[in-house]
Amino acid sequence: MALNEERDAEATETTAQESVPDAQKADEAKTESSTEPEVQPNPLREADIAKKEALVSELQEFVRTSDWRHGSQQLRPTMDAWRAIHNWHTAKEDELWEAFQTARHTIYAERTHEREASHAAKEKLAEEADKLRDSREWKATTERFHLLMDAWKKAGSAGHEEDDRLWEKFNGAQHEFFERRNAHYQELDSLHAKARAKKQELIERLRALPEPDESWGASQWKAQTNQVHDLMTEWRAAGQAGREENDRLWEEFNGLRQKFFDAQHAHYAAVEAQYKKNAEAKQELIDTAKRVSAAMDFGPEATETMKGLDVKWKAIGYAGPKTNDALWESFHDAKEKFWLQKRAYHEARHEIAQKKSEEAIERREAQIENLQGQIDHLRDKMETTTSQEYLDNMEGWIQEKEERIQDLKAQIEDIRQKLR
């Protein structure tokens, strides 16, 4: 609470400091232009002032109704909203700011006072509860704890941290008392009553077990089956609770057990049916994989079909412990055969393509060698030629051949890049 007040106070001081130079400028402007005509209406200014009036009214409403809890929740949002509104430096805005700050400080102060009162009340209740924790006046103390709890609920909030601390103290005391009281009453029961209570407890524990649903896996069924068996073991050890009570309790307990086992039988029957359905679906995928593999077609359509089989396989689900692994092996073998054949096919094609590429490189290198010989021959002739026109022509021929050589070298490099 104090931290929030300090932050808002700093923000308020900042806002006030930022507004001083603007207000001074406005006063100076008024002094220098006292003969200027009256300020014309400004819809934007009026709209901003109306927004500020609404914010003031909002906080004043919390003050009027003494709604300090909700009012304190609005302190930061209304302050942020106020800062977001343009300041026109009017007298009306100064009045609204004073009213706005008055309402805010009132809410702060009253909220603090209210929390202090709640803190004092809860501290007193927690101290009384602590004194009662060791009481052996079972009935009177139980009634007193009920009254203390009613008072606690009406005490209000002392702040989150203090509420938690005081509640831990208060609730710890009453919890300890009620634990001792329950133990005391249990000690007073006869052997039949103890057995009846134990068996009723077992019924409630059995009833409290989660309801089976379709999302349960084998581990959840196994865990709950073990729990039901454990409860049955405790039931046998609990002893007799009297003939009539014993029969009644057994009918209720066994009915809950039978309900669970009926659900378990239905579940495993459905599981077996699903396993069979999944096995049939997986066998269809195996047959498809074998058919695609036997076709020796390694084109895009066949490849995509084979890839799609993996996706479909994963979507089908488990086919049961007896068949799932065998089905997977058959499916894996059919797929592996296809991919191995495809790999061998592409490797053979790659070797052919590589050989053709190497031959293409050799042809281009031979062309380069031939062109280079032609260039060397032309350069030799240029040494003995006196005709300028012929010299110019030979230079053009040389340039064309050099460009052709560069083009052939680029082609060779491109071919080599594709081979890598």
Side-chain angles (χ1 to χ4, degrees), residues 47-281:
D48 287 339
I49 291 176
K51 292 177 184 177
K52 292 184 177 180
E53 288 176 337
L55 292 174
V56 171
S57 296
E58 182 180 349
L59 290 186
Q60 287 178 339
E61 178 63 17
F62 288 120
V63 173
R64 187 185 68 77
T65 59
S66 300
D67 189 358
W68 313 120
R69 182 170 67 88
H70 291 93
S72 65
Q73 293 173 355
Q74 291 300 314
L75 290 176
R76 177 56 61 85
T78 51
M79 191 66 212
D80 292 339
W82 184 282
R83 294 192 188 112
I85 301 172
H86 181 70
N87 187 8
W88 297 89
H89 305 294
T90 64
K92 179 64 174 176
E93 287 176 295
D94 292 340
E95 293 176 6
L96 290 172
W97 173 249
E98 290 297 325
F100 182 76
Q101 285 292 75
T102 298
R104 291 177 74 249
H105 291 317
T106 299
I107 292 171
Y108 268 131
E110 291 300 331
R111 183 187 64 175
T112 301
H113 176 72
E114 186 176 79
R115 286 191 173 181
E116 289 173 350
S118 296
H119 183 278
K122 287 187 172 181
E123 188 72 62
K124 184 177 179 180
L125 292 171
E127 289 175 358
E128 183 175 352
D130 189 64
K131 292 177 182 178
L132 292 173
R133 73 167 63 230
D134 296 325
S135 171
R136 299 188 65 83
E137 299 293 331
W138 307 115
K139 183 177 179 180
T141 304
T142 297
E143 293 175 353
R144 183 57 187 164
F145 264 118
H146 289 159
L147 293 175
L148 292 178
M149 177 58 76
D150 291 338
W152 182 278
K153 293 176 180 178
K154 297 175 182 178
S157 175
H160 180 71
E161 294 183 359
E162 281 301 294
D163 280 345
D164 289 348
R165 182 186 67 81
L166 292 169
W167 170 251
E168 184 177 355
K169 181 178 179 181
F170 177 85
N171 191 49
Q174 73 167 350
H175 182 74
E176 181 177 334
F177 166 78
F178 285 116
E179 286 290 318
R180 291 191 307 102
R181 188 200 67 166
N182 293 339
H184 167 74
Y185 284 140
Q186 289 174 0
E187 290 174 357
L188 298 178
D189 289 339
S190 64
L191 291 176
H192 280 176
K194 288 182 179 180
R196 183 170 62 250
K198 177 62 177 177
K199 289 187 174 182
Q200 190 62 55
E201 174 204 341
L202 293 173
I203 290 172
E204 296 307 317
R205 285 166 58 188
L206 182 55
R207 194 192 310 279
L209 293 177
E211 287 285 340
D213 59 45
E214 295 179 356
S215 68
W216 277 25
S219 61
Q220 289 169 295
W221 281 106
K222 181 178 180 181
Q224 188 134 316
T225 299
N226 290 338
Q227 287 180 292
V228 173
H229 288 323
D230 290 342
L231 290 174
M232 187 63 202
T233 300
E234 291 187 55
W235 182 275
R236 293 192 180 101
Q240 296 296 315
R243 177 172 297 184
E244 294 182 0
E245 281 296 291
N246 208 62
D247 291 344
R248 179 187 67 80
L249 292 169
W250 169 249
E251 183 178 351
E252 186 174 3
F253 181 80
N254 193 50
L256 294 171
R257 287 175 67 248
Q258 196 58 46
K259 180 181 177 182
F260 169 76
F261 287 122
D262 289 344
Q264 184 187 58
H265 295 326
H267 164 75
Y268 281 112
V271 168
E272 288 298 325
Q274 187 63 49
Y275 283 168
K276 182 179 179 182
K277 182 179 178 181
N278 292 347
E280 291 172 352

Side-chain angles (χ1 to χ4, degrees), residues 222-378:
K222 181 178 180 181
Q224 188 134 316
T225 299
N226 290 338
Q227 287 180 292
V228 173
H229 288 323
D230 290 342
L231 290 174
M232 187 63 202
T233 300
E234 291 187 55
W235 182 275
R236 293 192 180 101
Q240 296 296 315
R243 177 172 297 184
E244 294 182 0
E245 281 296 291
N246 208 62
D247 291 344
R248 179 187 67 80
L249 292 169
W250 169 249
E251 183 178 351
E252 186 174 3
F253 181 80
N254 193 50
L256 294 171
R257 287 175 67 248
Q258 196 58 46
K259 180 181 177 182
F260 169 76
F261 287 122
D262 289 344
Q264 184 187 58
H265 295 326
H267 164 75
Y268 281 112
V271 168
E272 288 298 325
Q274 187 63 49
Y275 283 168
K276 182 179 179 182
K277 182 179 178 181
N278 292 347
E280 291 172 352
K282 287 187 172 182
Q283 186 59 54
E284 290 181 6
L285 295 183
I286 292 170
D287 295 339
T288 302
K290 289 180 177 179
R291 186 172 58 254
V292 173
S293 179
M296 298 293 287
D297 177 8
F298 307 112
E301 183 176 351
T303 300
E304 288 303 316
T305 297
M306 191 61 75
K307 289 180 179 178
L309 294 180
D310 277 321
V311 176
K312 293 178 181 179
W313 184 278
K314 292 177 182 177
I316 290 174
Y318 193 56
K322 297 179 181 178
T323 61
N324 197 73
D325 289 345
L327 289 169
W328 168 250
E329 289 180 8
S330 297
F331 181 66
H332 179 267
D333 291 343
K335 290 192 309 168
E336 191 66 16
K337 181 178 179 181
F338 172 84
W339 294 117
L340 288 173
Q341 289 173 341
K342 181 177 179 179
R343 191 177 302 116
Y345 169 78
H346 282 294
E347 286 176 355
R349 291 196 56 174
H350 178 72
E351 290 177 2
I352 294 172
Q354 187 174 25
K355 184 177 180 180
K356 289 182 178 180
S357 296
E358 290 172 353
E359 290 173 353
I361 290 173
E362 290 175 359
R363 288 195 301 272
R364 283 162 176 75
E365 287 177 342
Q367 291 178 40
I368 291 173
E369 184 177 356
N370 181 267
L371 288 169
Q372 189 62 53
Q374 294 177 26
I375 291 172
D376 294 340
H377 178 69
L378 288 172

